[in-house]
Amino acid sequence: MKRFFKPIEKEGSTAAKKPCLLSPEKRDGDGDGDGVGEEKNLKEPSKFVTWNANSFLLRVKNNWTEFSKFVSDFDPDVIAIQEVRMPAAGGKGKPKNPEELSDDTKVLREEKQILTRALSSPPFGNYQVWWSLADSKYAGTALLVKKCFKTKKVYFNLDKLASKHEPDGRVILVEFETFRLLNTYSPNNGWKEEENSFQRRRKWDKRTVEFVNKTSDKPLIWCGDLNVSHEEIDVSHPEFFATAKLNGYVPPNKEDCGQPGFTPSERGRFGAVMKEGKLVDAYRYLHKEQDMESGFSWSGNPIGKYRGKRMRIDYFLVSDQLKERIVSCKMHGRGIELEGFYGSDHCPVTLELSAPSSDTEQKQVSN
């Protein structure tokens, strides 16, 4: 079945577009916390996009015009990407560098050139790009921040260690003056009690609890493909997902039964992370009722048993002290034909925050 993709029409943004206030020469070049720029009135990011691209290279090759228009229209300050699916530099005796795209072969050099050219063209030339990449074309994340915004620190792990990257490039954490932004591609739970399935997800959830506890000194915006649907309202067909099986296999623990991302154990742990970190689901904070047309961020293949089966697994979670500043949080895909998904099986999700009401409030939030 043919898929139809249309760029999302602009819907009257509540926040004005921000020009870059700093020249590229004044921007933060390496995120090492040395400080950048001298603009006293430079504000912090307030408009965000998260998107699981399901292969960034394929999106650049096949859907870039439409996605570029979406970015131009929304004009985000930060773009968080998951499932980059490009290998890290290094190999053949050289150490891996997860912050650089590989160019070890002719094909990889050409692919790197394609991505570099796309990210240098409007509107993406206004952004600084960070990568955290796997060793192969798997997983990986990217973060784009407008060059006019000052970043204090950038990490690539949940432990806030200087040079460590999470396995498969699943984390980019950037620290601004008054808040932190965490971009994650959370691991899929899988179907079985195996090291790369249930056990991996349990360890991840345990580490996220530890992370939100250790970083409670500053408000957090956590975005990305979190690979879980918290409540029944977050899936289109609760019974289908609750009873889903792989090749007839039924896990011994009923809490692990069902579609990965919708098992009782995952949903319970996700709720515990939110409670422990005092985090608010920005979309559900504004949208209390289920929206069967555009209330899901992932959609199954239009051909086969997953046709029309959809889940909300891409999020913006914000610290409780930021919830009153939530202006908008939207899913930008519609329907079962994946309109507005730009070639991926996930659609972009956006968040807009209002500015702090005063400098005093901004300082209080950061303390």
Side-chain angles (χ1 to χ4, degrees):
M1 180 175 291
K2 185 175 180 181
R3 296 185 183 183
F4 298 89
F5 302 97
K6 290 173 59 180
I8 299 296
E9 295 298 325
K10 191 173 181 182
E11 299 179 356
S13 171
T14 57
K17 291 189 176 183
K18 301 187 191 73
C20 273
L21 302 179
L22 297 181
S23 66
E25 290 75 21
K26 287 186 177 182
R27 68 178 171 86
D28 184 1
D30 55 12
D32 61 3
D34 291 338
V36 295
E38 298 177 358
E39 295 282 352
K40 293 182 179 180
N41 296 322
L42 188 63
K43 295 181 180 180
E44 301 226 290
S46 62
K47 299 180 70 178
F48 310 85
V49 170
T50 183
W51 185 39
N52 179 321
N54 193 17
S55 177
F56 203 32
L57 180 67
L58 287 180
R59 303 292 78 80
V60 168
K61 286 182 175 180
N62 301 322
N63 312 94
W64 204 236
T65 299
E66 296 89 346
F67 184 65
S68 296
K69 183 181 186 305
F70 166 78
V71 171
S72 293
D73 286 348
F74 182 68
D75 191 34
D77 302 324
V78 177
I79 304 172
I81 303 292
Q82 305 87 43
E83 275 206 271
V84 171
R85 292 193 183 180
M86 289 295 291
K92 296 182 179 179
K94 299 178 183 178
K96 289 289 185 179
N97 182 0
E99 296 177 45
E100 293 288 342
L101 295 165
S102 178
D103 56 3
D104 293 337
T105 67
K106 180 180 179 182
V107 171
L108 288 174
R109 283 193 292 275
E110 291 173 351
E111 292 177 346
K112 180 178 180 178
Q113 187 177 42
I114 291 170
L115 286 179
T116 302
R117 187 181 300 120
L119 292 173
S120 299
S121 63
F124 301 96
N126 294 326
Y127 296 83
Q128 183 175 359
V129 183
W130 288 272
W131 305 96
S132 186
L133 305 171
D135 291 346
S136 61
K137 288 188 174 182
Y138 173 72
T141 51
L143 190 71
L144 289 70
V145 178
K146 275 189 177 179
K147 296 173 183 176
C148 53
F149 293 106
K150 176 180 177 180
T151 58
K152 297 187 69 177
K153 293 280 187 181
V154 178
Y155 302 97
F156 302 94
N157 58 84
L158 294 175
D159 305 308
K160 296 179 64 180
L161 299 176
S163 58
K164 175 185 174 183
H165 283 250
E166 291 290 338
D168 304 324
R170 293 185 179 274
V171 169
I172 302 180
L173 171 66
V174 60
E175 185 169 333
F176 296 99
E177 183 66 32
T178 63
F179 68 89
R180 295 184 180 95
L181 183 133
L182 175 65
N183 171 27
T184 70
Y185 176 38
S186 300
N188 187 285
N189 190 59
W191 296 89
K192 296 183 178 182
E193 184 63 65
E194 296 176 344
E195 184 177 350
N196 287 328
S197 294
F198 294 169
Q199 296 175 28
R200 179 178 66 166
R201 181 67 193 219
R202 290 189 197 112
K203 291 177 182 176
W204 172 269
D205 291 339
K206 181 180 178 181
R207 292 187 63 212
T208 57
V209 170
E210 294 170 351
F211 170 81
V212 297
N213 279 325
K214 289 189 298 185
T215 56
S216 59
D217 60 307
K218 184 177 287 191
L220 175 68
I221 299 174
W222 180 5
C223 67
D225 177 358
L226 306 192
N227 253 321
V228 61
S229 294
H230 188 207
E231 305 287 353
E232 286 195 358
I233 195 177
D234 296 319
V235 298
S236 61
H237 298 75
E239 184 176 355
F240 172 87
F241 289 115
T243 58
K245 302 174 185 176
L246 179 66
N247 300 326
Y249 174 76
V250 178
N253 185 344
K254 66 178 183 179
E255 294 295 301
D256 293 321
C257 293
Q259 177 76 27
F262 195 62
T263 64
S265 58
E266 292 172 90
R267 294 165 58 195
R269 292 194 302 267
F270 186 66
V273 173
M274 291 179 61
K275 182 177 180 180
E276 192 73 21
K278 297 180 175 60
L279 299 172
V280 174
D281 178 346
Y283 178 80
R284 194 56 68 204
Y285 180 73
L286 296 180
H287 307 275
K288 309 299 184 185
E289 303 297 326
Q290 188 177 54
D291 182 349
M292 290 296 291
E293 179 68 11
S294 57
F296 308 103
S297 63
W298 174 87
S299 186
N301 194 314
I303 301 175
K305 69 177 183 178
Y306 276 87
R307 174 176 171 79
K309 308 301 191 298
R310 292 166 290 165
M311 307 175 75
R312 188 172 71 93
I313 59 177
D314 302 83
Y315 290 81
F316 280 98
L317 304 180
V318 304
S319 294
D320 184 75
Q321 58 263 57
L322 295 177
K323 69 181 181 183
E324 299 302 328
R325 292 178 53 196
I326 300 172
V327 174
S328 172
C329 188
K330 296 180 181 179
M331 313 281 151
H332 288 266
R334 299 177 64 84
I336 64 176
E337 301 297 342
L338 308 186
E339 177 185 330
F341 282 63
Y342 306 108
S344 177
D345 52 352
H346 296 246
C347 71
V349 182
T350 60
L351 172 72
E352 293 187 55
L353 298 179
S354 63
S357 58
S358 67
D359 291 339
T360 302
E361 179 183 329
Q362 185 162 341
K363 289 178 182 178
Q364 289 174 344
V365 167
S366 64
N367 289 336

